[in-house]
Amino acid sequence: MDKLQAMTTFVRIVEAQSFSKAAETLALPRSSVTTIIKQLERELGAALLRRSTRTLSLTDAGERYYASCRAILAEIARAESELSTDATAPRGRVRADMPGVIGRGLVLPRLKDFEQRFPGIELVLGLSDRPADLIYDGIDCVIRTGALADSTLTGRRVGQLNWITCASPRYLKEHGEPDTVASLVDHRAVNYISNATGRPLDWRFHVHGEQLTLSMPSRFAVNETEAYLQCGLEGLGLIQLSEFVALPYLQSGRLKEVLADARSSPVPVSIVYPDGRNASGATRAFVEWVVELFEHSDLGRGQ
């Protein structure tokens, strides 16, 4: 059997979470994809996938083999890109994941520029507040906010998010404006549920030179930024989110910042990807393009 084709097919099935979708992207009959995986499992002497009518998941052996296949295919792609006679025109497919607000506010509006500069690169973008796993999810790079914990990956800080506390004029008219952090006990909040922990995020402030963390009681809580913003606009309570998201509404008067003198410390924004030796030329090109985007944006200033 063609082992390279088998590896590529296996990786594509995991990425697509579907035999049928993988077959479409590989321009192969579904029956051929099924046969390739059966032959691969037989040759390896191990089951790689758990299959049912509705779900598809990796076995323990499948997870290990998937990570190895990803690394091998990435190395092949890197070697091919380095042999290109025109290093400024990388080719290939890049899967990237990022928070929705950064994708919609910064990356998507500039995709036409990316297409013109790198016509040989196919981008598959995931926009979600849920943190992605590069290896398990088959992703080439991610944009993350907050401190980085995974030392096995390369992380480059590209900017920062400034967090503010704000509310709609409707809410402030009904409940008044808090003048100190201590006065928040008399106010209502909307909480944001972390997709990583399933718990409400703490509210953070900077008071008298120290970082202060509070757990705010709330009647409403959501786990998606656009929904969180909408709750604030509807006057359901105070919200705490990035100035990058709130700015258009602050300028239009639909939101007003409160406790501006108690803003918490900025949150770093980084782009994370495998060690540079294993990243493909297409991935490196996308990373450098994102770095440039941030450098010319409000998010990249003040680092």
Side-chain angles (χ1 to χ4, degrees):
M1 66 181 300
D2 185 331
K3 187 60 69 66
L4 184 58
Q5 182 192 41
M7 287 181 171
T8 302
T9 302
F10 173 59
V11 168
R12 195 65 60 87
I13 289 170
V14 176
E15 291 177 348
Q17 286 294 289
S18 165
F19 275 68
S20 297
K21 291 180 181 178
E24 290 178 11
T25 61
L26 292 167
L28 291 172
R30 189 188 187 286
S31 58
S32 297
V33 170
T34 302
T35 299
I36 289 171
I37 295 303
K38 286 181 177 179
Q39 290 177 343
L40 180 61
E41 290 178 323
R42 185 163 54 249
E43 183 165 324
L44 294 173
L48 301 175
L49 297 163
R50 299 186 188 94
R51 284 157 277 184
S52 70
T53 55
R54 294 187 177 182
T55 62
L56 180 69
S57 62
L58 288 166
T59 64
D60 290 342
E63 288 188 12
R64 296 193 300 271
Y65 192 65
Y66 174 67
S68 298
C69 288
R70 285 274 303 167
I72 291 169
L73 294 174
E75 186 65 19
I76 292 172
R78 182 194 65 79
E80 290 177 345
S81 67
E82 289 182 353
L83 288 175
S84 173
T85 57
D86 183 2
T88 64
R91 306 183 64 84
R93 186 170 181 258
V94 177
R95 291 193 65 193
D97 194 86
M98 64 197 68
V101 294
I102 292 177
R104 286 186 289 270
L106 185 63
V107 177
L108 294 184
R110 298 298 304 277
L111 284 185
K112 197 66 180 176
D113 168 72
F114 184 86
E115 180 184 35
Q116 292 172 349
R117 290 170 60 178
F118 304 104
I121 297 179
E122 174 193 355
L123 275 183
V124 180
L125 301 181
L127 276 61
S128 172
D129 291 348
R130 185 180 299 277
D133 184 295
L134 271 77
I135 302 301
Y136 185 79
D137 295 325
I139 295 172
D140 298 297
C141 62
V142 297
I143 298 175
R144 286 180 176 162
T145 61
L148 300 178
D150 193 338
S151 61
T152 65
L153 302 171
T154 299
R156 290 175 61 179
R157 180 167 175 173
V158 293
Q160 65 183 31
L161 291 174
N162 297 308
W163 290 89
I164 67 171
T165 307
C166 53
S168 71
R170 175 182 173 182
Y171 173 86
L172 296 175
K173 182 179 179 180
E174 294 177 359
H175 301 276
E177 182 174 334
D179 52 3
T180 64
V181 173
S183 68
L184 289 174
V185 295
D186 299 319
H187 283 268
R188 296 172 56 180
V190 179
N191 273 329
Y192 185 92
I193 302 297
S194 167
N195 282 290
T197 66
R199 298 190 297 270
L201 292 178
D202 289 331
W203 287 51
R204 301 181 184 277
F205 300 93
H206 196 263
V207 181
H208 303 308
E210 294 184 359
Q211 284 293 115
L212 180 63
T213 300
L214 298 178
S215 295
M216 294 287 290
S218 173
R219 292 184 61 192
F220 302 100
V222 297
N223 68 345
E224 195 273 332
T225 302
E226 294 294 331
Y228 187 63
L229 171 63
Q230 190 63 35
C231 287
L233 293 172
E234 294 295 333
L236 297 178
L238 297 166
I239 59 175
Q240 194 171 70
L241 76 172
S242 72
E243 186 177 21
F244 177 69
V245 176
L247 187 59
Y249 304 95
L250 296 171
Q251 293 173 336
S252 68
R254 296 186 65 191
L255 288 176
K256 179 181 178 181
E257 182 178 7
V258 299
L259 301 174
D261 59 347
R263 280 191 180 191
S264 65
S265 300
V267 175
V269 181
S270 306
I271 187 162
V272 182
Y273 50 97
D275 183 274
R277 291 170 298 178
N278 296 322
S280 69
T283 298
R284 292 197 298 271
F286 178 73
V287 168
E288 294 301 328
W289 180 77
V290 168
V291 170
E292 184 180 321
L293 276 189
F294 273 87
E295 287 177 348
H296 295 90
S297 74
D298 291 335
L299 293 180
R301 301 186 183 111
Q303 291 190 72

